[in-house]
Amino acid sequence: MKNSVIKFSFLSMAAVVAFSSCRKDEDAPPTTTPDPTTVNLEISHMAGANALTFNTNYTDGFGNVFTITRADMYVNGFTLVDDVDTVLFEDNNHYLLKPTVTSVSFGEIAATHVHALSFNVGVDTTLNLTVDPTTQPAGSALGVQSPSMYWSWSSGYRFVVIEGNADRNADGVAETPYQFHIGMNALYRRVELHVHTDMTANTANMIHMEIDYLRFFDGIDMSLASSSTHTMDNMMLATQFINNVDSVFSVHTH
C-alpha cells in the first residue's frame, strides 16, 4: 500500500508539472520581430550656427580672424544601439567626409528605439599602417585622394585635414596659411552621440548629424605662428585639436 501511495503521488506531481508547462506555453506572448525600416545619415557641415563656407572670415575664442579653405576627415565604424546596447546596425566601411558629402546610407535595420550612434574619427589603427592607397580600387575612401590624405607607409593616413589662413599681425585680415594635418594611431578617436528616437517602420528614417568645424579650434589661439601642425612636429597642438572632437558632432532626428 505504501508503494501505491508513493506511486500515485509521483504520478499526480508529474501531471501537475505537465499541466503547468502546458499553460505556460499557451500563455506566453508570441515572439515578434520589429518590422524593418531604412535609416540614412544626413550631414550638415557647419561653422557655428551657419553653413561652413570656404574663405569666409571666422573668429576664434581669442578674437582672431581666420578662414577655412579645406576640411576633410575620415570616419568609420558607424554603430547604432538600443537602450540595452544591443547592436542594431554596424558598418565597418571608411568614409571620407568633406562639405560635398551630405549623406550616408545605413540601409535596413529593425524598426525599434535607437539610443545612440557611435563612430570613429580616423582610419582603423591596423589598416592605417598596412594599407597602401595605390593598391585600393578607384573610388575607395582609402584610395589615392587629391589633395592627398596620406603621408607614407611609416606614418599612414591623415585622419583630419583642415587648412586655411589666419590673421597673424592683428590687422583683421587672414593672410598667413595654416594647416592642421592630424594623424597617427595615438590620435584615433571614438565619438558617441545620444539619439533617443523611435524608428518608424516601413519608411525612410533620417538621423541628422551636424559637424561644427569651428569647435576644432576651441582653446587654440590662431594668432600664434605655432598654431599649425602636421602632428609629428607639434603633437601637443595636434592632441588638443583632436580632443575637441567630442563637441564637433551633434545629432537630431526627423
Side-chain angles (χ1 to χ4, degrees):
M1 174 65 72
K2 184 175 182 181
N3 288 341
S4 298
V5 171
I6 293 174
K7 188 178 296 184
F8 176 79
S9 298
F10 175 79
L11 291 174
S12 299
M13 186 180 301
V16 170
V17 170
F19 179 75
S20 298
S21 299
C22 223
R23 287 296 304 273
K24 184 179 291 185
D25 291 341
E26 292 173 358
D27 295 342
T31 301
T32 59
T33 301
D35 292 331
T37 189
T38 57
V39 181
N40 296 313
L41 183 68
E42 181 183 68
I43 304 170
S44 293
H45 300 268
M46 308 296 291
N50 300 308
L52 174 68
T53 305
F54 287 164
N55 295 303
T56 292
N57 283 348
Y58 298 115
T59 304
D60 68 16
F62 300 88
N64 305 302
V65 172
F66 70 100
T67 66
I68 295 175
T69 59
R70 181 186 175 192
D72 302 333
M73 77 176 81
Y74 279 111
V75 295
N76 74 88
F78 281 114
T79 305
L80 295 173
V81 299
D82 63 16
D83 281 331
V84 293
D85 288 332
T86 299
V87 174
L88 306 172
F89 170 83
E90 194 166 26
D91 180 358
N92 293 318
N93 293 317
H94 282 76
Y95 299 91
L96 180 56
L97 299 186
K98 55 183 66 181
T100 55
V101 176
T102 58
S103 66
V104 173
S105 176
F106 285 163
E108 191 173 274
I109 70 168
T112 186
H113 181 79
V114 174
H115 173 71
L117 163 69
S118 58
F119 55 93
N120 305 305
V121 174
V123 172
D124 175 83
T125 54
T126 299
L127 297 179
N128 182 40
L129 299 178
T130 59
V131 171
D132 179 348
T134 62
T135 66
Q136 300 304 295
S140 167
L142 296 181
V144 176
Q145 304 294 328
S146 181
S148 179
M149 288 294 290
Y150 189 75
W151 279 309
S152 69
W153 65 269
S154 61
S155 301
Y157 287 85
R158 298 175 172 100
F159 296 170
V160 180
V161 171
I162 296 183
E163 300 175 354
N165 294 287
D167 178 15
R168 296 280 166 79
N169 59 7
D171 65 354
V173 178
E175 79 292 324
T176 304
Y178 72 83
Q179 294 181 334
F180 284 87
H181 290 190
I182 311 302
M184 300 185 67
N185 286 352
L187 301 185
Y188 189 63
R189 295 290 184 267
R190 184 78 174 168
V191 175
E192 181 172 317
L193 303 171
H194 295 287
V195 180
H196 291 305
T197 192
D198 294 324
M199 297 288 107
T200 303
N202 303 311
T203 190
N205 293 267
M206 192 74 70
I207 297 175
H208 182 194
M209 181 171 76
E210 292 190 353
I211 305 173
D212 183 356
Y213 292 88
L214 299 187
R215 299 307 298 269
F216 274 121
F217 297 86
D218 286 352
I220 296 175
D221 185 345
M222 292 302 293
S223 72
L224 302 178
S226 59
S227 289
S228 188
T229 177
H230 291 81
T231 300
M232 291 74 77
D233 61 347
N234 193 340
M235 180 61 82
M236 184 177 295
L237 179 62
T239 303
Q240 180 183 1
F241 187 87
I242 199 64
N243 282 349
N244 287 329
V245 75
D246 284 337
S247 61
V248 168
F249 298 90
S250 60
V251 294
H252 66 268
T253 58
H254 59 82

